[in-house]
Amino acid sequence: MVTLLIAAGFAGVQAQDVSSLESGLRALREGRYPEALEAFDRQKQLAPDDARPYFFSGLVLFRTGQQLQALQEMEKAVKLNPANGRYRVLYADLLFKSGFKFKALDALEPLKQKVETEKLSPEEIWIVQDIFFQLGRFEDAGNALSIYEGKAEAGDALYFRKAQLAMGMNRLDEALEAFQNALGKTDRKAEAFYGIGLIHYQTGDMESAADALAKAVELKPGHPEFAHLYASALLALRRPSEALEQLAQVENRAEEFPKIYDAMARSYRQLRDFQKAREYSEKFIQRDSAEKSQQGIQQKVHNLLQEGQKLLKEGDQAGAEARFRAVIDLDPDHYLGNNYLAGMYLLQRRFDQAYHHLKRMLKKNPDAFETNFLTAHY
């Protein structure tokens, strides 16, 4: 997607821009990010109303882990050229990936019009429908997907997304037909059988669910989600021994998929082995509680990051620093939290504190560009 955008930037370069915008695009393509930013800054001075240097500065900043600054540049590009759907799509995508979900929807608002979406490339249309889908705007996602289908070659992603959309809108017959249609056209037959089994399970047809899920498990043995749903269908049919046989093959994955423990407890309960049922029920409760606690921490971290980014944008350095430090208190090795603090401390020449967070970045992801970029700056 980014390569296509850089190519599009080259296509719009005028002769007078050669020393600025084009050199910036070449530097961006070759990964020379500081040079790219310098070139784009020169172009901003030459042509303040030109949206392109803001847009491509946003790309550079996002690649180097400076999300908030990237979004500011992208926002400026969209304001200067609101009719450019390409800018709007990538801006919305970056907003969504940064956790600003409602702002992403606002950015995509003009693209709800068919005439605007049709101007986009298939890759861009896919991003539009995916954001709508992830945020539960199924009707908007379906409209965009219809346009995508008319422009792109059919493939696995399209087949499965049509089925997922139908399920999201509770059109189970339509979803079932989409999964069955995918069986003859995709190599992902295990996923198609799982989708068919899931729909039958939700509608209470346990025999059909078990038949489809047996095929999914046969094609993809050891998949915890497939095995769990198959075992659940077998338990609904009062076939606990067969359910346990399936669950035993994925018990080693239960720490990451605790529902396996719950299904094993239900299996032993049907077999009237109440001691084993209690043992697995306790395992499920313990692991499920830990997972929910971790999810709660992740949500707090997400909220603090958003607050910190907002305060940073408003110029409240102290408030932003407090939020990012709270992130590190909850998750000492959180990469983005350490990234923000390291960057802030370097700018403030608080080198000892910056080094403390750089060490954590090096431990977490030593090969990331932003790690090397800030370390070099240090």
Side-chain angles (χ1 to χ4, degrees):
M1 178 65 178
V2 171
T3 303
L4 290 172
L5 291 165
I6 296 172
F10 273 113
V13 173
Q14 304 299 318
Q16 65 268 28
D17 299 330
V18 169
S19 64
S20 53
L21 186 64
E22 184 175 347
S23 62
L25 288 167
R26 291 191 188 282
L28 170 56
R29 187 177 60 184
E30 294 167 7
R32 294 181 283 113
Y33 298 133
E35 292 175 46
L37 283 175
E38 289 176 7
F40 295 141
D41 283 341
R42 288 197 301 272
Q43 177 62 16
K44 292 174 191 175
Q45 294 171 17
L46 287 170
D49 294 330
D50 186 352
R52 293 171 300 172
Y54 291 97
F55 176 75
F56 289 110
S57 291
L59 283 181
V60 174
L61 290 164
F62 191 79
R63 281 187 169 187
T64 56
Q66 301 174 72
Q67 288 177 301
L68 187 64
Q69 296 91 327
L71 289 170
Q72 289 173 337
E73 295 289 306
M74 291 283 185
E75 184 178 16
K76 179 72 172 178
V78 171
K79 284 181 178 177
L80 287 171
N81 192 352
N84 190 312
R86 177 176 292 118
Y87 292 0
R88 192 172 287 281
V89 169
L90 195 59
Y91 176 48
D93 192 35
L94 297 188
L95 282 167
F96 177 71
K97 288 174 178 174
S98 301
F100 297 103
K101 298 176 182 179
F102 294 114
K103 290 188 74 173
L105 286 174
D106 289 341
L108 291 179
E109 186 66 30
L111 297 177
K112 289 182 180 179
Q113 300 177 41
K114 183 178 180 182
V115 66
E116 295 298 326
T117 307
E118 286 177 335
K119 296 175 184 176
L120 302 174
S121 70
E123 294 85 358
E124 291 158 356
I125 297 170
W126 183 266
I127 292 173
V128 171
Q129 69 79 31
D130 190 55
I131 293 173
F132 281 138
F133 176 78
Q134 298 292 342
L135 297 180
R137 303 300 177 94
F138 299 127
E139 185 176 347
D140 294 325
N143 293 335
L145 193 66
S146 296
I147 298 171
Y148 173 85
E149 190 173 5
K151 285 192 167 197
E153 292 185 11
D156 289 355
L158 177 62
Y159 302 142
F160 284 96
R161 181 47 53 87
K162 288 173 75 172
Q164 291 168 334
L165 270 173
M167 289 189 72
M169 292 185 282
N170 204 32
R171 300 174 184 169
L172 297 185
D173 289 341
E174 187 179 326
L176 182 60
E177 183 180 349
F179 279 124
Q180 289 170 334
N181 184 47
L183 274 176
K185 299 178 180 178
T186 178
D187 294 330
R188 294 171 57 191
K189 296 190 186 302
E191 287 81 358
F193 277 121
Y194 174 79
I196 291 168
L198 177 60
I199 292 169
H200 284 312
Y201 186 87
Q202 290 181 345
T203 56
D205 185 353
M206 296 302 168
E207 288 285 358
S208 297
D211 289 344
L213 291 164
K215 293 171 184 174
V217 168
E218 183 181 354
L219 289 167
K220 213 164 192 177
H223 192 293
E225 195 169 355
F226 291 6
H228 171 262
L229 189 60
Y230 182 30
S232 295
L234 291 170
L235 287 171
L237 295 168
R238 310 297 294 181
R239 292 157 60 181
S241 296
E242 294 173 69
L244 272 177
E245 185 180 342
Q246 292 299 321
L247 293 166
Q249 297 176 40
V250 292
E251 185 177 358
N252 62 333
R253 304 286 299 277
E255 286 298 304
E256 62 188 88
F257 198 80
K259 289 180 180 179
I260 291 168
Y261 287 142
D262 179 58
M264 294 186 80
R266 289 186 286 124
S267 300
Y268 281 117
R269 204 169 291 121
Q270 283 194 17
L271 290 168
R272 303 189 67 76
D273 187 338
F274 298 115
Q275 182 176 344
K276 281 282 189 183
R278 279 194 299 272
E279 177 185 330
Y280 279 99
S281 184
E282 288 170 5
K283 285 184 177 182
F284 168 69
I285 292 169
Q286 182 179 9
R287 187 67 193 91
D288 188 55
S289 298
E291 189 175 82
K292 286 176 179 174
S293 175
Q294 182 59 35
Q295 288 172 354
I297 291 172
Q298 290 173 355
Q299 186 60 49
K300 287 180 183 176
V301 165
H302 175 78
N303 293 341
L304 285 165
L305 280 173
Q306 286 210 335
E307 289 175 19
Q309 290 168 341
K310 182 174 181 291
L311 290 169
L312 199 59
K313 184 176 181 179
E314 294 169 352
D316 185 352
Q317 294 277 332
E321 180 185 345
R323 299 312 188 278
F324 297 140
R325 289 189 64 81
V327 167
I328 300 306
D329 288 341
L330 288 168
D331 183 357
D333 292 323
H334 191 278
Y335 187 81
L336 191 54
N338 282 297
N339 188 4
Y340 271 115
L341 288 171
M344 291 175 71
Y345 292 149
L346 283 172
L347 288 173
Q348 297 165 12
R349 303 183 66 79
R350 295 158 66 182
F351 298 122
D352 288 345
Q353 288 167 284
Y355 181 64
H356 174 72
H357 296 287
L358 281 171
K359 284 197 300 183
R360 288 178 171 175
M361 291 174 68
L362 285 163
K363 175 184 173 184
K364 186 82 170 183
N365 195 348
D367 298 322
F369 176 83
E370 48 266 49
T371 302
N372 294 319
F373 183 83
L374 288 175
T375 303
H377 185 49
Y378 170 81

